[in-house]
Each structure stands twice: as C-alpha cells, then as structure tokens.
Amino acid sequence: MQLKVSLIINIHNSSDYVENISNTINSLSNKIEIILVDDCSTDKSCEKISNLTKNSSYKFIKLKVPSGISKSRNIGIENATREFISFMDHDDSINNNEFIKSSSKVNHLDENSLIVCPYTTSFYKDNLIITDRLISKEREINTNNLTNINYRFSSFSNSRETYHICLSAWSKFYSMKIIKSKSLKFKEGMDKFEDCSFGLSYLYSVKKIYILENNFYTYSQARFKPSGLTNKYNIHNWLGWIDELN
C-alpha cells in the first residue's frame, strides 16, 4: 500500500543533526515521499547527509539564496506530489515506526481535514533536560459550525492540545487539496509565528479535525535557553494575538 504522505524536511547548517535526519530518510524513503530543502547551508551538512543516504531515494532541493524557513517550506510544498504533507524541523526528531502507523491511518481519512498527532517535548528544567509526552485520545471534531477563528481555537479544549492544533506546523498532516484550492502558503519574511499564521489560515478551511493517538514527533525546546522566546508564551497570550487576526 502506497502511503499518501510527503514529508518536508528543512535544513540549514544542520551538521549537529545529520545522523538523525539521515536515519529518518533511510527509514522512510521507501514508504513515503521525502523532500529535503536546504536553505544555503555553509557547513558540510548537505555533503554529510548525501553520503549517509546514498541508497535512499528522495528529493534534495538546494536554494540559491538564503530565504528563511517559510520560503523553504513553500518550496517543499510546491514539490510535493502526495495527497498529504507533514513537516520536520532539522533539529527535531521522528519516531519512524509511529510515523508509519499514523501515515497508514491518514490513507483512510477525509482530505478536507486537519490531522493532528500528539508530540513529545524535551526542555530545560533546573539545568536538566526533561522529556514531556502529550497523550491524545483518537477522535473526530466537526468544525462546520465554527465560523469565528477565536471560537474555533478555544472550543476544542482548554489544554496544551488546543495550543498544538493551531499553533505549530509539525506533528500534523495537511491536505494538499486544501492547500492548493485555498492557495495557502507560509508567510515569507516572518521571523516568528509563521507556523501560527499558516495553521490558522488552514483551520479556517477544514471541515474536520482528526486527532490520532500516535506520538511520532519530538520537539526539542532543549536547544533554547530557559528564558527563550518560545517558553514565554502560553495559551492566553495566543488567544489575545488571535483576536488581532479576526
């Protein structure tokens, strides 16, 4: 059974992560479409990945000028040929077996939807790296009657899962049918919140949200200092920001 998923991996000076990226490519490239987009790396990451993935088939796109994460993702979307896309940041990681399980479920779900999986976060606490695993119960959410984006956002639950549904690009499957019909793109030139902008625009367009139980993605906040920007935001900050989008 061919899986309907294209995985877009964006890299930039990713030498510290080449083994993890290469493992993902080698483990999944015979099951899904993989698109690797390099945003003008100046280290040896491209060469290292190429050497470690010689026996794998995937698309390797090198941008000619530094363009940022949004442009890199848009290039990946333009080159995707499967029905759904998913994203992986170069310094995060994927559990390959759980990714295949979730991708197999995606094959049987409505294309007019957003498909969301739980995730794991690694972060600093008292100078130690802690791992926090989100657990989700499989279910379907009908969004036909949710016309206001603030109401859509706040009505699902009052939890970290709500935050994740709207505000991160990873650990999800997006329908290419919706992306193409609505001409959705990541806003280029944004230095933060590009995931939120894309996610909210996509959420406006879906009829259903499927929550799957497969936790395949690890988001590494451990790369940030505990006082970093990402750690300062919570659901109440985001709801105020969403008000400005309405």
Side-chain angles (χ1 to χ4, degrees), residues 95-103 133 213-216:
N95 180 307
N96 300 320
N97 290 332
E98 289 300 313
F99 187 84
I100 291 300
K101 289 178 183 178
S102 59
S103 297
R133 183 179 176 86
E213 65 182 1
N214 305 90
N215 188 319
F216 67 79

Side-chain angles (χ1 to χ4, degrees), residues 76-175:
I77 292 171
E78 290 171 9
N79 284 273
T81 63
R82 303 287 174 92
E83 288 88 340
F84 290 89
I85 58 170
S86 190
F87 297 100
M88 174 183 167
D89 289 345
H90 71 155
D91 44 4
D92 294 337
S93 60
I94 280 178
N95 180 307
N96 300 320
N97 290 332
E98 289 300 313
F99 187 84
I100 291 300
K101 289 178 183 178
S102 59
S103 297
S104 298
K105 294 177 181 178
V106 167
N107 267 28
H108 306 287
L109 298 179
D110 186 352
E111 286 186 52
N112 295 303
S113 66
L114 172 65
I115 303 167
V116 182
C117 294
Y119 64 98
T120 300
T121 304
S122 62
F123 59 94
Y124 279 109
K125 184 176 182 181
D126 299 327
N127 293 320
L128 297 174
I129 296 179
I130 307 297
T131 298
D132 182 26
R133 183 179 176 86
L134 177 65
I135 298 174
S136 294
K137 182 179 180 180
E138 293 210 350
R139 63 194 189 278
E140 177 182 322
I141 301 171
N142 190 318
T143 65
N144 282 337
N145 61 334
L146 302 180
T147 56
N148 178 274
I149 194 64
N150 199 332
Y151 181 58
R152 283 192 181 209
F153 182 82
S154 59
S155 63
F156 305 132
S157 66
N158 187 24
S159 69
R160 196 170 109 201
E161 188 178 71
T162 305
Y163 176 101
H164 178 48
I165 285 174
C166 300
L167 302 176
S168 58
W170 34 262
S171 198
K172 299 182 179 70
F173 298 92
Y174 299 94
S175 167

Side-chain angles (χ1 to χ4, degrees), residues 10-225:
N10 301 103
I11 65 172
H12 174 71
N13 291 342
S14 306
S15 286
D16 290 341
Y17 315 104
V18 293
E19 291 187 4
N20 177 56
I21 295 168
S22 300
N23 176 60
T24 297
I25 293 172
N26 290 332
S27 299
L28 299 178
S29 61
N30 64 334
K31 302 176 180 68
I32 64 170
E33 179 179 59
I34 293 182
I35 303 165
L36 188 68
V37 184
D38 172 56
D39 187 19
C40 296
S41 293
T42 56
D43 61 5
K44 299 292 185 181
S45 52
C46 291
E47 292 86 344
K48 291 177 181 177
I49 292 171
S50 294
N51 288 333
L52 291 170
T53 58
K54 289 180 179 178
N55 297 322
S56 297
S57 177
Y58 61 100
K59 296 179 181 179
F60 200 162
I61 302 168
K62 296 183 180 182
L63 304 186
K64 295 181 179 180
V65 296
S67 303
I69 184 66
S70 292
K71 178 68 172 181
S72 297
R73 284 176 174 163
N74 289 336
I75 292 294
I77 292 171
E78 290 171 9
N79 284 273
T81 63
R82 303 287 174 92
E83 288 88 340
F84 290 89
I85 58 170
S86 190
F87 297 100
M88 174 183 167
D89 289 345
H90 71 155
D91 44 4
D92 294 337
S93 60
I94 280 178
N95 180 307
N96 300 320
N97 290 332
E98 289 300 313
F99 187 84
I100 291 300
K101 289 178 183 178
S102 59
S103 297
S104 298
K105 294 177 181 178
V106 167
N107 267 28
H108 306 287
L109 298 179
D110 186 352
E111 286 186 52
N112 295 303
S113 66
L114 172 65
I115 303 167
V116 182
C117 294
Y119 64 98
T120 300
T121 304
S122 62
F123 59 94
Y124 279 109
K125 184 176 182 181
D126 299 327
N127 293 320
L128 297 174
I129 296 179
I130 307 297
T131 298
D132 182 26
R133 183 179 176 86
L134 177 65
I135 298 174
S136 294
K137 182 179 180 180
E138 293 210 350
R139 63 194 189 278
E140 177 182 322
I141 301 171
N142 190 318
T143 65
N144 282 337
N145 61 334
L146 302 180
T147 56
N148 178 274
I149 194 64
N150 199 332
Y151 181 58
R152 283 192 181 209
F153 182 82
S154 59
S155 63
F156 305 132
S157 66
N158 187 24
S159 69
R160 196 170 109 201
E161 188 178 71
T162 305
Y163 176 101
H164 178 48
I165 285 174
C166 300
L167 302 176
S168 58
W170 34 262
S171 198
K172 299 182 179 70
F173 298 92
Y174 299 94
S175 167
M176 285 296 292
K177 178 180 178 181
I178 291 177
I179 290 173
K180 289 180 178 179
S181 66
K182 301 296 182 179
S183 300
L184 298 181
K185 291 184 176 182
F186 287 88
K187 289 188 177 180
E188 298 174 15
M190 293 183 71
D191 59 355
K192 50 183 173 288
F193 307 140
E194 70 282 345
D195 287 8
C196 181
S197 174
F198 180 85
L200 292 174
S201 297
Y202 187 94
L203 186 61
Y204 264 122
S205 307
V206 302
K207 295 180 179 179
K208 296 178 183 177
I209 299 173
Y210 294 103
I211 308 294
L212 303 185
E213 65 182 1
N214 305 90
N215 188 319
F216 67 79
Y217 200 91
T218 297
Y219 169 58
S220 179
Q221 276 191 321
R223 64 185 181 271
F224 298 113
K225 297 294 183 182

